[in-house]
């Protein structure tokens, strides 16, 4: 039977700036007041009480100016005797820029009749999305802005510039950046026919094509007329619409070609230069706040584009990176190549496959990465053509809210100012009777380790009992839950405090660990019992300075 009492809390912004009051909207059924507790990692930092007026209230708290920093928020609905009737949780963070922790989402519906602008941003804020990719909003790949207010794209979808502008404004009101999708070398057949010498060729007179008579691949070399044309288009877009930068796409092929003069073009060299030129355009229009993101399709050419002048390393995952543990390997490599830039993963999983979604997100978030998957209300990306998204059921929506709350709440020990040390430290953790060191993506508990100043985070991802080790193969059951696990972690540093947390239950709060310090044949260690592991549990060891 459904309770007659309920309470819901949501941040009013995707993040808050240093010195900005953090505000939260509370709605309740029943009760007369709300008590709130704010936590930073494993510590309680504030308790507040607010009365309800006709079932609603606004909670305000000004965080310390330190940034970046994530917080947890738990609210309890109280009656006139102070008894708890219902509870809810959320998270929030303080950032100097969204680019520090780019929780990237998507929008793909820009029809003239769209009106749910505020509802869309309320949805995005519920999952703490602070950047949105406006996918396939453009009039044509080579002429991004339509000459008319209402227009049809190359596939005949009806759109309106006013819809796009209102979505951008609504996003900005909630501290959400708006990024316009563009492709670095796609052009319509008609445009190619007007500029035949601008194309990229596989051989004399044979331009590369994408799709069946859909697009022609143009030459994105630094000094090519196509590149100069598209830089002008980027400048025109940023002048006409208040986008926050440029999102660049490619198609993964071709990798080499020839220009009209017959000179060889190596795209692994041309693309980084294209990114750098785009960054110059963005900075000239948006200053340091502007953003550039490029899609390394299939992780190519990550070695050259990760160090380029872009703000993240964004990877669309395809063959051969199909195993769950490949997601960690991609993030660790990209983080290293990009000089510790944030890493965004685009791995398309239909929301009907909830076990895949949970395990993929657990690995991505535990690895310090972000997952492009949410944005349109109730939707989850399921296809590289974003309008073909799937819809989450209520159960998965609740699970994803917990996972995104967890990501923000513990971002300082999951991603920000941490580095991946899995290769050197995963073997330091063992659990009696459970395999942790196999290379495969099943029949084990994967250990992913992040290290920060005076702490280490050991993330345990449960891959026991699943049907397949591939994130793109539907799982018909989740991992087999483990309880009362004896854990040993070898460390030569004195442990001051240990705690754990998990996004899998209703309580996301940190739980203190009672541990024993000692030694065995392998050296100094701490031992304790892990109460439960479902999909993902995080263990944090805080060391004495």
């Amino acid at each position: 039977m459904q309770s007659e009492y309920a309470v819901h809390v949501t941040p009013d912004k995707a993040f808050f700036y240093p010195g900005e009051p953090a505000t939260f909207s509370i709605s309740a059924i029943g009760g007369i007041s709300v008590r709130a507790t704010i936590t930073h990692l494993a510590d309680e930092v504030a308790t507040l009480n607010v009365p309800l007026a006709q079932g609603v209230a606004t909670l305000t708290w000004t965080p310390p100016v330190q940034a970046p920093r994530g917080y947890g928020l738990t609210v309890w609905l109280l009656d006139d005797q102070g008894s708890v009737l219902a509870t809810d949780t959320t998270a929030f963070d303080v950032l100097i820029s969204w680019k520090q922790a780019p929780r990237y989402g998507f929008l793909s519906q820009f029809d003239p009749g769209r009106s749910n602008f505020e509802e869309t941003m309320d949805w995005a804020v519920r999952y703490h999305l602070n950047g949105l990719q406006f996918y396939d909003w453009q009039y044509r790949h080579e002429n991004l802005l339509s000459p008319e207010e209402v227009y049809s794209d190359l596939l005949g979808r009806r759109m309106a510039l006013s819809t796009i502008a209102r979505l951008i404004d609504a996003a900005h009101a909630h501290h959400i950046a708006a990024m316009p999708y563009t492709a670095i070398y796609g052009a319509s057949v008609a445009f190619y026919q007007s500029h035949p010498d601008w194309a990229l060729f596989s051989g004399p007179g044979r331009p590369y094509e994408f799709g069946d008579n859909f697009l022609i691949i143009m030459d994105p070399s630094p000094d090519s007329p196509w590149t100069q044309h598209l830089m002008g288009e980027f400048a025109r877009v940023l002048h006409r619409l208040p986008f926050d930068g440029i999102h660049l796409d490619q198609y993964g092929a071709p990798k080499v070609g020839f220009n009209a003069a017959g000179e060889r073009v190596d795209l692994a060299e041309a693309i980084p230069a294209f990114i750098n030129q785009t960054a110059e355009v963005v900075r000239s229009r948006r200053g340091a706040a502007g953003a550039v993101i490029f899609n390394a399709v299939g992780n190519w050419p990550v070695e050259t584009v990760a160090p380029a002048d872009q703000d993240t390393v964004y990877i669309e995952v395809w063959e051969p990176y199909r195993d769950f543990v490949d997601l960690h390997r991609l993030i660790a490599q990209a983080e290293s190549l990009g000089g510790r830039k944030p890493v965004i993963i685009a791995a398309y999983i239909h929301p009907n496959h909830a076990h895949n979604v949970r395990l993929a997100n657990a690995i991505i978030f535990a690895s310090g990465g972000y997952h492009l998957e949410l944005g349109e209300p109730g939707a989850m990306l399921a296809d590289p053509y974003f309008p073909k998204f799937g819809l989450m059921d209520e159960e998965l929506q609740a699970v994803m809210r917990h996972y995104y709350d967890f990501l923000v709440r513990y971002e300082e020990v999951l991603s920000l100012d941490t580095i991946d040390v899995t290769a050197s430290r995963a073997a330091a953790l063992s659990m009696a009777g459970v395999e942790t060191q196999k290379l495969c993506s099943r029949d084990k508990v994967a250990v992913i380790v992040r290290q920060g100043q005076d702490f280490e985070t050991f993330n345990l991802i449960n891959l026991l009992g699943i049907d397949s080790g591939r994130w793109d193969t539907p799982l018909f059951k989740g991992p087999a839950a483990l309880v009362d696990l004896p854990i040993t972690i070898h460390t030569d540093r004195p442990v001051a405090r240990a705690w754990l947390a998990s996004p899998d239950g209703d309580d996301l709060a940190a739980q203190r660990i009672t541990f024993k310090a000692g030694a065995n044949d392998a050296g100094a260690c701490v031992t304790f019992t892990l109460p439960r592991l479902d999909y993902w549990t995080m263990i944090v060891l805080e060391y004495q300075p």
Side-chain angles (χ1 to χ4, degrees):
M1 180 180 295
Q2 188 173 4
S3 172
E4 59 182 307
Y5 304 108
V7 63
H8 301 285
V9 59
T10 305
D12 292 334
K13 306 285 178 65
F15 70 94
F16 300 96
Y17 291 107
E20 177 185 18
T23 59
F24 308 85
S25 296
I26 298 172
S27 61
I29 300 173
I32 65 166
S33 67
V34 168
R35 183 175 74 245
T37 298
I38 296 170
T39 57
H40 173 243
L41 300 178
D43 299 312
E44 183 178 309
V45 295
T47 300
L48 303 93
N49 293 277
V50 292
L52 290 165
Q54 297 181 324
V56 299
T58 296
L59 181 71
T60 301
W61 181 69
T62 302
V65 295
Q66 288 93 336
R69 180 174 281 191
Y71 296 90
L73 171 63
T74 302
V75 298
W76 291 270
L77 177 65
L78 307 178
D79 64 14
D80 56 1
Q81 303 298 313
S83 298
V84 175
L85 304 174
T87 187
D88 193 23
T89 64
T90 189
F92 63 100
D93 60 351
V94 178
L95 302 174
I96 296 171
S97 165
W98 76 281
K99 296 184 290 185
Q100 290 180 296
R103 299 181 290 271
Y104 207 29
F106 79 99
L107 296 176
S108 60
Q109 311 296 311
F110 310 107
D111 57 275
R114 181 161 188 163
S115 60
N116 64 338
F117 305 107
E118 191 59 31
E119 294 90 338
T120 297
M121 298 311 153
D122 286 346
W123 171 269
V125 166
R126 189 178 309 166
Y127 295 89
H128 316 291
L129 303 181
N130 56 19
L132 292 171
Q133 180 187 152
F134 285 52
Y135 179 89
D136 265 12
W137 65 280
Q138 68 273 24
Y139 171 61
R140 295 291 182 269
H141 289 69
E142 69 277 359
N143 294 316
L144 301 175
L145 287 170
S146 167
E148 306 292 337
E149 158 63 22
V150 178
Y151 59 98
S152 296
D153 72 0
L154 202 57
L155 294 175
R157 292 197 312 149
R158 297 287 284 170
M159 304 186 188
L161 288 173
S162 59
T163 299
I164 294 165
R166 291 187 64 183
L167 283 168
I168 298 172
D169 290 344
H172 287 168
H174 293 274
H175 293 352
I176 301 173
M179 296 288 288
Y181 172 94
T182 67
I184 65 169
Y185 48 29
S188 67
V189 174
F191 185 86
Y192 159 71
Q193 290 172 343
S194 298
H195 305 84
D197 292 341
W198 292 17
L200 189 70
F201 298 89
S202 61
R206 297 194 303 275
Y208 281 108
E209 299 183 24
F210 180 76
D212 185 15
N213 203 37
F214 181 53
L215 294 174
I216 301 298
I217 303 298
M218 310 303 277
D219 174 15
S221 298
D223 298 323
S224 72
W226 164 257
T227 295
Q228 299 310 309
H229 167 78
L230 207 54
M231 294 302 151
E233 286 296 296
F234 294 164
R236 200 160 67 95
V237 166
L238 294 175
H239 176 75
R240 172 69 174 78
L241 292 167
F243 281 122
D244 295 283
I246 297 292
H247 179 100
L248 300 169
D249 192 20
Q250 56 145 333
Y251 308 137
K255 293 179 169 59
V256 295
F258 300 90
N259 62 20
E263 298 166 326
R264 187 175 186 272
V265 177
D266 184 343
L267 272 74
E269 297 177 359
I271 291 174
F274 191 100
I275 294 170
N276 294 343
Q277 286 183 265
T278 303
E280 292 177 7
V281 173
V282 169
R283 277 196 298 267
S284 71
R285 301 305 192 278
R286 295 291 182 266
V292 175
I293 297 175
F294 170 79
N295 181 7
V297 176
N299 202 38
W300 181 85
V302 69
E303 291 84 1
T304 60
V305 301
D309 195 2
Q310 58 173 327
D311 295 282
T312 72
V313 185
Y314 175 110
I315 300 169
E316 189 176 73
V317 187
W318 298 105
E319 293 282 7
Y321 307 103
R322 293 302 200 181
D323 289 347
F324 281 110
V325 294
D326 286 337
L327 299 173
H328 164 72
R329 294 170 183 144
L330 288 172
I331 294 169
Q333 179 197 39
E335 183 181 80
S336 176
L337 291 170
R340 297 176 63 181
K341 290 174 184 171
V343 181
I344 299 171
I345 294 294
Y348 309 118
I349 305 172
H350 198 283
N352 289 349
H353 310 312
H355 301 305
N356 298 70
V357 171
R358 291 180 74 157
L359 285 173
N361 276 327
I363 290 178
I364 291 168
F365 295 166
S367 301
Y370 304 90
H371 191 185
L372 175 75
E373 58 181 342
L374 305 178
E376 290 286 359
M380 177 173 282
L381 285 181
D383 189 89
Y385 182 60
F386 289 8
K388 294 183 178 180
F389 55 72
L391 294 176
M392 295 183 286
D393 60 23
E394 290 187 4
E395 181 179 359
L396 186 56
Q397 290 180 31
V399 167
M400 286 297 95
R401 187 175 179 191
H402 276 179
Y403 271 61
Y404 278 79
D405 285 351
F406 193 84
L407 171 67
V408 173
R409 186 174 189 147
Y410 297 113
E411 63 188 8
E412 289 158 85
V413 294
L414 286 173
S415 56
L416 303 176
D417 296 323
T418 66
I419 60 173
D420 179 76
V421 292
T422 302
S424 61
R425 289 291 289 157
L429 184 145
S430 61
M431 53 186 73
V434 177
E435 177 62 60
T436 60
Q437 297 305 310
K438 293 171 66 175
L439 295 177
C440 65
S441 292
R442 57 184 299 193
D443 301 326
K444 73 170 185 178
V445 171
V447 181
I448 297 172
V449 191
R450 306 283 299 179
Q451 189 176 83
Q453 183 176 5
D454 295 328
F455 71 86
E456 284 184 313
T457 304
F458 291 82
N459 293 282
L460 306 182
I461 313 298
N462 189 358
L463 302 172
L464 292 169
I466 58 177
D467 310 293
S468 169
R470 292 170 62 114
W471 60 264
D472 65 341
T473 298
L475 300 178
F476 298 102
K477 60 181 179 179
L482 301 171
V483 296
D484 296 331
L485 287 166
I487 302 289
T488 299
I489 302 178
H490 289 276
T491 177
D492 57 3
R493 303 171 65 183
V495 177
R497 184 171 68 162
W499 49 275
L500 63 84
S502 173
D504 292 323
D506 292 330
D507 186 3
L508 306 187
Q511 308 295 322
R512 298 291 180 92
I513 295 174
T514 301
F515 64 90
K516 292 181 180 180
N520 59 21
D521 293 342
C525 62
V526 295
T527 59
F528 56 91
T529 299
L530 179 67
R532 185 178 180 91
L533 172 60
D534 289 299
Y535 289 80
W536 173 23
T537 293
M538 175 185 73
I539 299 166
V540 178
L541 299 186
E542 297 180 1
Y543 296 113
Q544 295 179 16

